[in-house]
Amino acid sequence: MPRILELPASEIVRKVKVQEISVEEYIGECFERIKTVDPKIHAFLTLTEDYALTRAREIDSRIRRGEKVGSLAGVAVAVKDNICTMGVRTTCASKMLESFIPTYDATVIERLKAEDAVIIGKTNMDEFAMGSSTEQSAFGPTLNPYDLTRVPGGSSGGSAASVASYEATVSLGSDTGGSVRCPASFCGVVGLKPTYGLVSRYGLIAFANSLEQISPIGRTVVDVATVMDCISGHDSRDSTSVNTGPTSLRSHLIDDVSGIRVGVPKELFGEGTEEAVSKAVWDAINRLVGLGATCEEVSLHSLKYALASYYIIAMSEASSNLARYDGLRYGFRLEDDDCDWGEAYSRNRSEGFGPEVKRRIMLGTYALSAGYYNQYYLRAQRVRTLIRQELSRVFESFDLLASPTMPILPYRLGEKLRDPLEMYMCDVDTVTANLAGIPAISVPCSSYQGLPIGIQFMAPPFREDLLIRVSYTLEKNLELDLKPAV
């Protein structure tokens, strides 16, 4: 593999600006890598080679003319296929949107292009971001670059696998209940879910509006901070966007955790957490203590209700959001439409949606139906409030909370497909951050039998700076040398 593909984003930008390498040469190597590796892992659904090479030549020309270029000049970015890209097919990994070509760019894509990043393609995912393994794609699963018999995590499995296998330097995913942190942990890369409202959701095809955030993935904490500095900030087109003023996470890349207070929730090391994962995460926490942080176990009683309340809220929002896809106004439509509206609606959705999406629509519709709304949806929202209140209290005593990102190692393809509840249990450590709207990051902390293990840190709202500082320190001092099998 060419050395150029192993470089972090900041080094690629530096070399491009001084004309040590050309963007065309680097982007060309990315596509050569994709042609070699992607038939094995299936990280991409759509490639944009012609656009990317044209864009690369434009950036090279501007540099040769001495013109100013952006902070991501030439960097190859892979984009999850539920983020709208003007003129490029955006399927949500669903037959329902198989032919959908957006007429506009999501805000995050506009911002990446404004900083001269190069979009190289759209990545595979669980259909409409509903899954934890990227096996629920209508176009086939993505495989883990560390072991081709195992899942890469989900739902942003293609985005994480593309970065782990050196097909892309960085990528974008979306995190609704752990959909960036889970694949980051399983694929040995870094994934950051920002505070709700910090990154615009304009142009993100909705699954569960109150929970999801567009999130960056990179091989290093530095790359994730660099992308975050580009895509974050207020957007008037997203009513949930928060104006926090200018921020720079790169200025918090500090190798020092002196005085940082780390809380460790007992509930996130509970039943089902594999011993190898628990040991690796505790070893990493103890390493931080050795570097000057303090650590104390803490109990958050409301967390035992987090998973149940998350799935009720997420499925309810999904059933509402996906009602628009009827084949008449939006989405897949059967050619044979010699039937009334009700039958056409039913047949289009039956053919257009996969089994997991249909399951969640039905469960969400049930939770929102008359007679059950108070019993399920309203009660889940009350639990959400309790979780937020308890986290707010615990953050008065601790700067961060630490836990495993995933309670288990990457599992084998098909291992959990027949038991949806077993699959949902995999999200037990990640959903809390989405319910509370707080930032969380997954960073590789060890490996076991060649499979990566990630540690998760959660911080108070808009304290991404703390996550970056602690993660950067841990990354610098662990010096892991994870190598994918492809």
Side-chain angles (χ1 to χ4, degrees):
M1 179 173 63
R3 172 84 178 95
I4 193 173
L5 298 181
E6 298 179 2
L7 296 175
S10 56
E11 186 63 7
I12 288 168
V13 172
R14 187 191 68 78
K15 286 178 178 284
V16 162
K17 286 183 176 178
V18 299
Q19 300 185 52
E20 193 174 321
I21 59 174
S22 74
V23 181
E24 183 178 6
E25 172 195 1
Y26 155 67
I27 294 295
E29 292 291 357
C30 288
F31 281 104
E32 287 301 314
R33 177 71 178 165
I34 290 170
K35 287 169 187 168
T36 303
V37 171
D38 216 56
K40 301 174 185 173
I41 65 170
H42 191 215
F44 284 91
L45 293 178
T46 302
L47 294 174
T48 55
E49 185 170 2
D50 289 343
Y51 158 80
L53 288 172
T54 301
R55 179 81 171 137
R57 294 181 192 113
E58 288 174 4
I59 297 169
D60 284 334
S61 296
R62 285 166 53 200
I63 291 172
R64 283 195 292 271
R65 292 196 298 268
E67 296 178 12
K68 185 179 179 182
V69 291
S71 61
L72 287 172
V75 174
V77 183
V79 178
K80 188 176 181 178
D81 211 23
N82 61 348
I83 300 172
C84 286
T85 42
M86 185 167 62
V88 178
R89 193 175 72 127
T90 301
T91 69
C92 276
S94 176
K95 189 176 178 181
M96 183 60 81
L97 290 177
E98 187 172 6
S99 304
F100 173 52
I101 298 178
T103 56
Y104 69 100
D105 276 330
T107 296
V108 292
I109 301 300
E110 287 181 349
R111 291 180 176 176
L112 287 173
K113 288 180 176 178
E115 294 297 333
D116 292 319
V118 178
I119 310 298
I120 61 170
K122 306 298 291 291
T123 55
N124 201 8
M125 54 185 280
D126 287 297
E127 184 178 9
F128 280 97
M130 298 181 192
S132 305
S133 64
T134 314
E135 293 172 288
Q136 302 288 353
S137 168
F139 309 112
T142 295
L143 312 184
N144 192 315
Y146 282 84
D147 183 339
L148 298 179
T149 68
R150 296 177 188 268
V151 303
S155 63
S156 309
S159 292
S162 67
V163 173
S165 60
Y166 298 91
E167 294 176 310
T169 299
V170 294
S171 66
L172 293 182
S174 65
D175 192 313
T176 310
S179 287
V180 155
R181 288 161 287 154
C182 164
S185 176
F186 279 4
C187 292
V189 293
V190 182
L192 169 66
K193 185 208 88 71
T195 305
Y196 189 81
L198 187 61
V199 174
S200 172
R201 292 186 302 109
Y202 179 76
L204 172 66
I205 297 176
F207 155 28
N209 309 57
S210 76
L211 299 163
E212 59 204 3
Q213 281 284 274
I214 295 175
S215 310
I217 296 172
R219 285 190 291 273
T220 66
V221 176
V222 177
D223 280 358
V224 165
T226 302
V227 177
M228 268 299 293
D229 283 347
C230 173
I231 64 173
S232 61
H234 182 251
D235 179 14
S236 60
R237 293 175 295 186
D238 176 2
S239 60
T240 63
S241 177
V242 178
N243 191 351
T244 60
T247 57
S248 169
L249 291 181
R250 281 184 61 84
S251 65
H252 295 279
L253 294 164
I254 303 167
D255 183 7
D256 181 13
V257 291
S258 302
I260 297 285
R261 302 166 298 172
V262 180
V264 184
K266 296 176 185 175
E267 289 78 6
L268 300 185
F269 286 80
E271 183 181 352
T273 304
E274 291 183 359
E275 186 177 341
V277 174
S278 182
K279 181 181 183 306
V281 172
W282 270 111
D283 286 348
I285 293 170
N286 289 330
R287 188 66 175 264
L288 289 175
V289 171
L291 293 167
T294 61
C295 163
E296 185 180 332
E297 277 195 302
V298 61
S299 184
L300 291 101
H301 301 291
S302 62
L303 295 192
K304 60 185 173 185
Y305 306 112
L307 194 67
S309 62
Y310 165 79
Y311 270 101
I312 290 171
I313 293 168
M315 290 177 180
S316 298
E317 293 188 16
S319 78
S320 175
N321 275 319
L322 271 60
R324 78 191 73 173
Y325 302 111
D326 55 11
L328 304 175
R329 294 167 297 175
Y330 300 104
F332 171 80
R333 181 173 185 169
L334 286 166
E335 294 295 328
D336 174 20
D337 57 359
D338 185 21
C339 50
D340 60 28
W341 182 88
E343 186 178 350
Y345 181 87
S346 174
R347 289 174 60 191
N348 288 336
R349 287 168 66 86
S350 180
E351 287 287 325
F353 288 135
E356 180 61 24
V357 173
K358 284 187 275 193
R359 179 185 296 118
R360 296 194 189 201
I361 289 173
M362 286 189 286
L363 289 170
T365 303
Y366 180 80
L368 290 174
S369 60
Y372 295 101
Y373 178 86
N374 289 351
Q375 187 175 347
Y376 293 109
Y377 183 74
L378 198 58
R379 184 173 291 183
Q381 290 288 15
R382 287 174 178 154
V383 170
R384 186 179 192 175
T385 300
L386 291 175
I387 290 171
R388 282 176 170 165
Q389 291 172 342
E390 191 167 24
L391 282 169
S392 181
R393 286 194 295 273
V394 83
F395 280 131
E396 291 175 2
S397 304
F398 298 99
D399 299 304
L400 296 171
L401 297 178
S403 73
T405 305
M406 299 301 292
I408 57 176
L409 294 162
Y411 44 89
R412 296 194 184 280
L413 288 159
E415 187 177 326
K416 299 185 185 297
L417 273 180
R418 292 183 180 177
D419 188 345
L421 289 179
E422 196 177 344
M423 182 82 80
Y424 299 164
M425 284 296 295
C426 295
D427 301 334
V428 67
D429 293 339
T430 52
V431 297
T432 298
N434 301 81
L435 286 169
I438 60 175
I441 193 169
S442 178
V443 188
C445 67
S446 186
S447 63
Y448 181 75
Q449 296 182 345
L451 299 173
I453 297 173
I455 183 172
Q456 175 182 241
F457 297 109
M458 294 184 280
F462 304 107
R463 292 309 308 271
E464 279 81 358
D465 59 314
L466 283 173
L467 297 181
I468 292 297
R469 179 178 166 187
V470 171
S471 301
Y472 179 72
T473 302
L474 187 64
E475 182 183 69
K476 290 276 285 182
N477 286 276
L478 286 178
E479 295 183 336
L480 297 179
D481 186 23
L482 301 174
K483 295 291 183 189
V486 294

